Amino acid sequence: MDFFRRVGLELTEDGYVKVNEAMETNIPGIYAAGDCTTAMPRGFKQIQIAAAQGAVAAYSAYNYILRLRG
Ligand SMILES: Cc1cc2nc3c(=O)[nH]c(=O)nc-3n(C[C@H](O)[C@H](O)[C@H](O)COP(=O)(O)OP(=O)(O)OC[C@H]3O[C@@H](n4cnc5c(N)ncnc54)[C@H](O)[C@@H]3O)c2cc1C
């Protein structure tokens, strides 16, 4: 968590990584998924949700790279 804070990743007060629906963090090109994020419902952490979010994050990263390549 210290590392996340050092690089400027936006976290909630209790340490969850803030993400939007594309699993984007506040830092372009950095994505997060699963239990550590604000996208996971509190009190209902499920592996299927984490895996689905991972797929969304991967797709977002792929599109980010495509945009970089122009
Ligand atoms: C006791 C228990 C029972 C559960 N039962 C179910 C269930 O029946 N069905 C279900 O769907 N879900 C269940 N869950 C929830 C499910 O396990 C999680 O939602 C899911 O594993 C989240 O996946 P994740 O990849 O986000 O996190 P994790 O699976 O926790 O993976 C995070 C990984 O990061 C590693 N890590 C942590 N810190 C660092 C670091 N500093 N550097 C490098 N690596 C690090 C950890 O060792 C871990 O391997 C259960 C959870 C618990 C705790």
Side-chain angles (χ1 to χ4, degrees):
M1 196 145 59
D2 282 350
F3 171 75
F4 288 171
R5 290 211 164 91
R6 272 208 311 278
V7 297
L9 209 55
E10 203 177 338
L11 306 177
T12 63
E13 270 183 21
D14 47 355
Y16 289 87
V17 180
K18 292 187 183 179
V19 290
N20 63 17
E21 67 285 349
M23 299 298 129
E24 294 168 319
T25 68
N26 63 306
I27 303 177
I30 304 288
Y31 304 85
D35 286 3
C36 67
T37 70
T38 53
M40 183 64 80
R42 305 288 170 90
F44 191 65
K45 293 178 175 171
Q46 293 283 286
I47 197 156
Q48 298 90 335
I49 299 174
Q53 292 172 351
V56 171
Y59 184 63
S60 296
Y62 170 74
N63 284 315
Y64 177 77
I65 291 167
L66 285 186
R67 284 197 303 278
L68 286 182
R69 294 176 66 194

